[in-house]
Amino acid sequence: MIIIINFASVRNEMINRFFLLNPIILGLGMILFSASTTQALPQQDSAFRESRDDFLPRSGTMFLEEKKTSPLPKLPKPDRHFQLRQSRDGFLNPASRRQGSVSQVTSVSELQDISPTDWAYEALRSLVERYGCIVGYPDRTFRGNRALSRYEFAAGLNACMNTIERLIQENVAVLREDIEKLKRLAQEFEQELIALGARLSNLEERVAYLEDHQFSTTTKLTGEFVVGLTGITSGQRDGGSEEINKVTNFGYRGRLELNTTFDGNDLLYTRLATGTVPAYSDITGTFEGELGFSQPDGSDLAVELIIYEFDLAENIRMFVEPVGGAFDDFVPTVNFLDGDGAFGAISAFGSRNPIYYMGEGPGIGFQGRLFEVFEWSGGYLATDGNDPSLGAGMFNGPYGLIGQFAYEPSDRLKVAFTYVHGYNNLDSGTGTLRSNFQTFVEEEFEQSVNTVNNSYGMEFTWRIFDRFVLGGWGGFTSTRTLGAIDIGEEFDVIQRGKLDIWNWAVTLAFPDAFKEGDTGAIIVGMEPWVSKADINFPDDLRKTDQDSSFHIEAIYQYPINDNIVITPGIIVITEPDFDDRNEALVIGTIRTTFTF
């Protein structure tokens, strides 16, 4: 008998007392924290803020269903801090939605871990079917073998007392012997019931205070600050003719996020951002090794991103972005280490396949799921969509169009195929200067060039073991220029031509490497480079990136607590800008991320 086992210290006295009770009362001893609000015993020091997700979300964690004591509508969980972009994957999974809203248990046969051969089966059936004060856990289990404290027993007793009181008020017949036995139990657990009532009163007062002092009834404010000590320890540029400055700098990237819902299923996300972390490409002469949390704004605060997302139809989510849109806002990047610079990889290249960077600005996006295991997403962004000038706007200026189809047979494996089409959206901000061809032409010839490109990518992530995740991607971009480039009377006009651009990477992640919540990772790949070109540059200027340059990155992410994470990391670029005359570029950083 579980009551006797759990209260072994007083079993001699309790045996005599409880053997006289009806099996209905004995069944109360199996009560755990159920979905009933009166059964869930509040913690003395319970906090009223939501903690942010772990960097690597755990599977199999079960939370008890709680009654909402606040009139606040439930906000969709925002993932704009992008501790892992993977956390958005599968948000349209109907199975996960059903798990979060389990209907009331009305029969003991609905509890998966209870069988008619269990000694307390009949007592539990009476409690469930006669009084309905036992409902089990949200996963329809009862867990009757778990140890029981006196406070937990008091919580279950209080639930049944309230149920019987309600039945009496409704003139429903209740057995007198059950009432008498509940009275005896109430006397035995009088002190625990008093303490329980005091805790509930204290909880109500604290909730009322928060409601009176809340920021908004529909909006939640969150924040993220990335502070980085970064520096270049070695490197050369321009064919080894110039040493790169050995610099160390201390900067930050700050984001304030407003998450607003109007019906509980939609989300209006507004992000204000600023920072002082520099872009190193001006110093290194290449976009290789660029930091993922770079924000050279000089501390000028501005609205960086506005997204309104909602369910357009069953299993279809729509995203409307009037300001600062990006492809990865609505297209999962399928990289386990994509933390948008704040978590995971420290470089822009290590965060995701560079073809995801080939689109920005106002636009729309969609995401949906088919047959549980297939996910599709896509959208359209216009770089100058809010500019009414000639050659700009939503359809007359630079734009990017993306489509992606992914296969996800389990939460451990995901493979995606991505297509991007763009006009004047070639530059990704990663890789060699030539692969960012529009910037290359502007710097070399002080001219502009129009381009159109088609990009193809394949990405995958595979959690082979609990503490080892293998991932990677490959990308190819075919680009052609749309006009000749006049570089002066001394040189021939550069005629229209084509370029082929490639990139690839392999990622190795080790979650919980030394302690729970930490992550070690290694990233090896080649940032975008021009492998083939038929453009007639002047004779002293190479058309392609002829040598081999590797991106090697290593990080170790260590959580201090739920809100502070420190990540030391190093980036090594061999033969920077795909020029073997350049000495290797080495960039180090100690990144600290604060979230609230």
Side-chain angles (χ1 to χ4, degrees), residues 28 79 479:
L28 285 171
D79 60 354
T479 303

Side-chain angles (χ1 to χ4, degrees), residues 4-129:
I4 296 174
I5 292 174
N6 289 334
F7 301 107
S9 61
V10 292
R11 64 177 181 273
N12 293 331
E13 177 184 355
M14 296 295 286
I15 286 174
N16 295 329
R17 180 171 300 181
F18 282 88
F19 259 117
L20 300 175
L21 298 180
N22 189 288
I24 294 175
I25 306 304
L26 297 181
L28 285 171
M30 299 179 64
I31 297 173
L32 307 179
F33 288 97
S34 70
S36 174
T37 57
T38 56
Q39 289 174 279
L41 186 64
Q43 297 295 326
Q44 186 68 31
D45 299 319
S46 59
F48 286 87
R49 59 171 179 79
E50 288 187 14
S51 61
R52 300 178 72 91
D53 297 333
D54 292 336
F55 171 62
L56 299 173
R58 305 285 186 275
S59 61
T61 303
M62 180 59 62
F63 297 92
L64 296 180
E65 199 173 280
E66 297 179 353
K67 181 179 179 181
K68 307 298 184 298
T69 57
S70 170
L72 283 172
K74 184 177 181 180
L75 293 173
K77 185 66 176 177
D79 60 354
R80 305 302 177 189
H81 52 278
F82 297 112
Q83 296 175 358
L84 259 192
R85 225 30 112 124
Q86 297 267 143
S87 64
R88 186 201 293 273
D89 295 359
F91 82 103
L92 294 173
N93 188 346
S96 63
R97 287 186 175 183
R98 288 193 296 270
Q99 185 178 6
S101 57
V102 179
S103 58
Q104 178 80 13
V105 172
T106 59
S107 173
V108 69
S109 62
E110 298 179 37
L111 297 172
Q112 299 174 3
D113 57 347
I114 295 295
S115 65
T117 58
D118 292 330
W119 69 271
Y121 180 83
E122 292 299 327
L124 183 59
R125 186 174 69 173
S126 297
L127 287 171
V128 173
E129 297 177 4

Side-chain angles (χ1 to χ4, degrees), residues 132-321:
C133 57
I134 302 295
V135 294
Y137 284 80
D139 60 349
R140 295 185 180 274
T141 61
F142 187 70
R143 307 178 197 178
N145 292 326
R146 177 178 172 271
L148 185 72
S149 70
R150 288 181 65 88
Y151 278 115
E152 290 171 332
F153 186 88
L157 175 62
N158 186 65
C160 284
M161 290 173 62
N162 291 337
T163 300
I164 290 179
E165 181 181 358
R166 176 179 56 81
L167 293 176
I168 293 174
Q169 292 176 351
E170 295 174 357
N171 295 322
V172 177
V174 177
L175 295 178
R176 180 177 296 277
E177 59 181 304
D178 289 345
I179 297 176
E180 294 298 327
K181 291 166 185 176
L182 280 176
K183 286 181 179 179
R184 293 174 60 186
L185 284 174
Q187 293 174 357
E188 173 68 26
F189 291 88
E190 181 179 4
Q191 295 302 318
E192 284 79 8
L193 290 172
I194 293 174
L196 179 64
R199 290 186 179 186
L200 290 175
S201 298
N202 181 54
L203 180 63
E204 292 175 353
E205 292 176 0
R206 295 170 67 181
V207 170
Y209 177 83
L210 289 175
E211 290 175 355
D212 293 339
H213 295 80
Q214 62 189 338
F215 172 73
S216 170
T217 59
T218 59
T219 301
K220 183 170 70 174
L221 174 66
T222 59
E224 171 192 278
F225 279 83
V226 179
V227 178
L229 178 65
T230 61
I232 299 175
T233 61
S234 68
Q236 293 177 332
R237 58 178 293 175
D238 299 333
S241 63
E242 183 180 349
E243 292 285 334
I244 296 176
N245 296 333
K246 309 302 186 296
V247 297
T248 300
N249 61 280
F250 191 61
Y252 78 96
R253 185 188 76 180
R255 291 176 172 178
L256 294 176
E257 302 157 332
L258 299 173
N259 304 276
T260 304
T261 184
F262 303 101
D263 61 14
N265 292 318
D266 62 345
L267 176 65
L268 175 62
Y269 173 81
T270 306
R271 184 169 76 205
L272 289 78
T274 186
T276 59
V277 179
Y280 279 144
S281 57
D282 293 337
I283 299 174
T284 62
T286 180
F287 289 100
E288 292 182 280
E290 197 70 86
L291 295 173
F293 54 95
S294 176
Q295 189 95 14
D297 291 340
S299 294
D300 293 332
L301 184 65
V303 176
E304 184 179 66
L305 180 62
I306 298 177
I307 304 175
Y308 180 61
E309 58 181 89
F310 57 94
D311 290 334
L312 183 64
E314 184 178 1
N315 282 347
I316 299 178
R317 189 81 167 171
M318 183 173 181
F319 301 77
V320 180
E321 306 191 55

Side-chain angles (χ1 to χ4, degrees), residues 28 33 59 138 173 264 273 349 462 464 474 503 505:
L28 285 171
F33 288 97
S59 61
F349 174 72
W462 183 18
I464 302 176
N503 83 89

Side-chain angles (χ1 to χ4, degrees), residues 423-424 437-438 441-442 445-452 480-488 491-499 534-538:
Y423 168 70
N424 280 353
F437 190 70
Q438 292 175 284
V441 170
E442 291 177 0
F445 310 116
E446 297 182 354
Q447 298 290 328
S448 61
V449 60
N450 294 326
T451 63
V452 62
R480 58 187 175 90
T481 59
L482 299 181
I485 306 172
D486 187 356
I487 58 176
F491 302 96
D492 295 334
V493 173
I494 300 177
Q495 301 297 330
R496 297 170 60 177
K498 296 182 179 179
L499 301 93
D534 60 1
I535 297 178
N536 59 322
F537 285 141

